[in-house]
Structure formats: C-alpha cells, structure tokens
Amino acid sequence: MKIAILGFTKISYMPYLHFYLNQIDLSANDVHLIYWQRDEKPDAPVPDGVTGHALAENMDDSIPLKSKLPKLNKYRRFAIKKLKQLRPDFLIILHSTTGITVLDYIKRHYKGRYILDYRDVTYERNKYYKGMVATLVNCAAITFTSSDGFRKFLPEGAEILTSHNLTRDVLEAREQHKIKTPSEKIRIAFWGLLRHHSLNEKIVSALADDPRFELHFYGRAQGKMLELVESAEKEHTNIFFHGEYRSADRIEFAKCTDILHNLYDNSDKTTPIAMGNKYYDGVIFYIPQLCMPGSLMAEMSARAGVGFACDPAKEGFADGIYAYYQSIDRESFFASCDKELSRILKEVESGEQKIKEVLENAAKEGK
C-alpha cells in the first residue's frame, strides 16, 4: 500500500510523526512524507524507509495571518501536485491546518481513507472554520487529538482517540534522570518554541539575579521573544539562552534541570486546554513542573502529583517555587511519575493498536 503523510512544517518540529510511522511496516508499504521546510536551518533527516518531498519556502511564524496566506497557498498547490503524482492509497494528515489547505481535494478523493492528527486549536471560534474542521474530522477514518480539552471543538459522533506528545526513544534513559547533575542553584528550564512574551517577561523579572535560581531557555525564538531572552542573558548572571536543539538533545540538558518551566499565558484562549510536550518530558525525566493555575496541565499535574501551579504575575512567585521544591519528597515524586507514565502508555498503546487496525483494513479494501 502507498501511504502519504502530510505535515505542515519541518521534520524536526514534528516528533509526533513517529507515533504513526512506528505503526507502519515500512518494508511492506511505500511511504511518502510531504512537508514544509520553512527556514534554511538544518532539519532532522527524512526517516529511514520514507521518501521525503519538501516544499522549500521560508516563512516567519510571527507574521500576521494575512501575510501567511500566499505561503499557505503555495503549500496547498505543492501538496495537491504531489498527491496527484503519487496517487497514494491512504493518507495521514498531521494537524487540521494541513488538512484545511487541501480539504476540497481530500474530501473528493480520500473520504474515509485518512487518519487526522488534531494537534492544536487555531481559528475554530470562527463558525465557518469550525465547520471545515468538522468536515475534515467526519471524513476521516479516525481522528486523534493531543488534548481532551480540544474535544469541545470537534463534532460529536466522530471516532476520536487521545494521543500523547510522548516519544518512546527517551524512555530507556529514564532511570539515569533520578540523579541530577549537582548545582548550588535550582535550575529552571523551558524547552520548545519560545512564545508568550508578556508571561516570560514576568518570569524573567521575578527570577533575574535571584541567587537561589538559574533560568534556562532552550529552543526557537523569534521577534520580541528573541529580543527578550537575548537581552536577559546579557543583563543577568543567572539567565541563559541556548538556542535551537535537536529533539534527542533534551535527554542531556534534562539531567541539568531541577524544575521544568511549563507555564503558558492563559489569556491565549486555547493554551489553557492544551497538553504540551513538556508535561510528558517532566513525567519521563522525573522533573517537577510549573503550570499555570486554571490550565488543563495544572489540573493534570496536581492530580498526578507531578507539578505545582503558580502565576508569575502574583506576588511571591519565586518564594512559592522555592518552597515547593524544598518540600518535594523524592521517592514519593518518583512513584507519582511512574504511575502517571503507566496511565499514559496504556492510552498510547491503545491508539497504536487502532492505527494498525485502520491501516490493515485500508490495505484489505485496496486489494
């Protein structure tokens, strides 16, 4: 069977790609990845056994939507051209935005013959856009959502499973993370795409030059966020900006992290209901995490006993973090992480089995 996977960004920014790839027998299927190389920086290699087709078109994610539209149209034309050339039997669509750009084409030619990965909320508060998402979900063989909080934007009656932003390749390194690299200071670290300038400005202000802490930023930053972290590193002795990293690199810098900065701005209407990659990294690497009060991740971390809810805008933010860290019983915390990971892996395994079933049925129908 020929399978095409459609992604909307670089390979290195799609670690969830492997959730689907790992369920495909690459020796028995012809797998193609249609994706978007949005900048000229190095990317992760195309996975072994997969043929890559990249649109090389630079686009700064921080520009307004109106300025993005011509670029999005280029991706649409590129993806449809590749689909016509390849004529795959089945599709895996990574994120609804990807699917929306080619919705008319896949509705006509691939109804019931694709898996949709619903990864984030974008413009679903617009009724017209929400209707297109509903069509995309209803035409899919099955949909995975990365957060149960997103289900309120999806149509009732469709088959929707929960996926998790977890990569199994780091699980083997788990045990060594129980022992951290020694440090006189509590090392707080954020990794991923650096966003939410106002929130992080408050965090920098609260922790800057506090002798109890170090604050580390790992990842891609643009615009005002880049200015913030670069100037903070220059002006303060305990703040560090390390730039972009490969996914596997976090195994090493997690060893030098005592607390995970998993704080996002709740004024963003969709962020409070999202489940970020770092929630899983905290559980896997035995790192207590900071979450915003009122968010789904704060609720989940409190229920599992793996994190602490705190607001950088409130007085006593730094003191609260310090008191929380000092109060942690390590053995109890490790047990909580193990229990939460076990729960997550059961859901992951259920989803993996469903993907295999859908692909097997598609292969039978294609014969």
Side-chain angles (χ1 to χ4, degrees), residues 180-181 183 185-188 254 256-260 287-288 325:
K180 298 295 177 184
T181 305
S183 173
K185 297 184 178 182
I186 299 171
R187 296 158 299 188
I188 302 173
C256 301
T257 299
D258 300 306
I259 300 180
L260 194 51
I287 306 173
Y325 187 74

Side-chain angles (χ1 to χ4, degrees), residues 130-259:
K130 185 178 180 181
M132 290 193 292
V133 170
T135 299
L136 189 63
V137 172
N138 286 329
C139 290
I142 188 172
T143 296
F144 283 89
T145 178
S146 62
S147 172
D148 287 334
F150 294 159
R151 289 176 181 264
K152 68 179 183 179
F153 294 102
L154 304 178
E156 295 181 2
E159 187 170 9
I160 301 170
L161 276 69
T162 303
S163 63
H164 292 282
N165 297 317
L166 175 149
T167 51
R168 290 180 178 273
D169 60 328
V170 299
L171 293 179
E172 294 181 0
R174 262 195 107 214
E175 284 299 313
Q176 59 187 276
H177 284 79
K178 287 184 176 179
I179 302 175
K180 298 295 177 184
T181 305
S183 173
E184 294 180 357
K185 297 184 178 182
I186 299 171
R187 296 158 299 188
I188 302 173
F190 176 98
W191 53 78
L193 176 62
L194 276 67
R195 299 180 293 155
H196 298 166
H197 173 269
S198 178
L199 176 83
N200 279 289
E201 192 173 44
K202 292 182 177 68
I203 295 170
V204 166
S205 177
L207 301 179
D209 299 320
D210 188 319
R212 297 173 296 180
F213 302 102
E214 287 181 357
L215 179 58
H216 295 259
F217 291 97
Y218 301 85
R220 179 166 57 116
Q222 296 177 331
K224 292 173 66 177
M225 266 306 305
L226 180 60
E227 293 176 9
L228 172 65
V229 291
E230 286 184 335
S231 62
E233 183 177 42
K234 291 177 182 177
E235 295 170 10
H236 307 289
T237 58
N238 67 331
I239 299 178
F240 307 90
F241 173 51
H242 303 275
E244 291 196 44
Y245 61 91
R246 297 173 303 164
S247 180
D249 293 342
R250 72 191 196 285
I251 296 175
E252 291 305 314
F253 55 68
K255 295 176 184 176
C256 301
T257 299
D258 300 306
I259 300 180

Side-chain angles (χ1 to χ4, degrees), residues 4-34:
I5 303 174
L6 279 70
F8 215 48
T9 186
K10 297 168 61 172
I11 296 171
S12 58
Y13 298 155
M14 298 189 292
Y16 42 86
L17 163 67
H18 296 279
F19 176 59
Y20 301 95
L21 270 184
N22 292 343
Q23 316 321 314
I24 301 172
D25 183 348
L26 297 177
S27 64
N29 295 280
D30 183 14
V31 181
H32 295 258
L33 175 61
I34 301 169

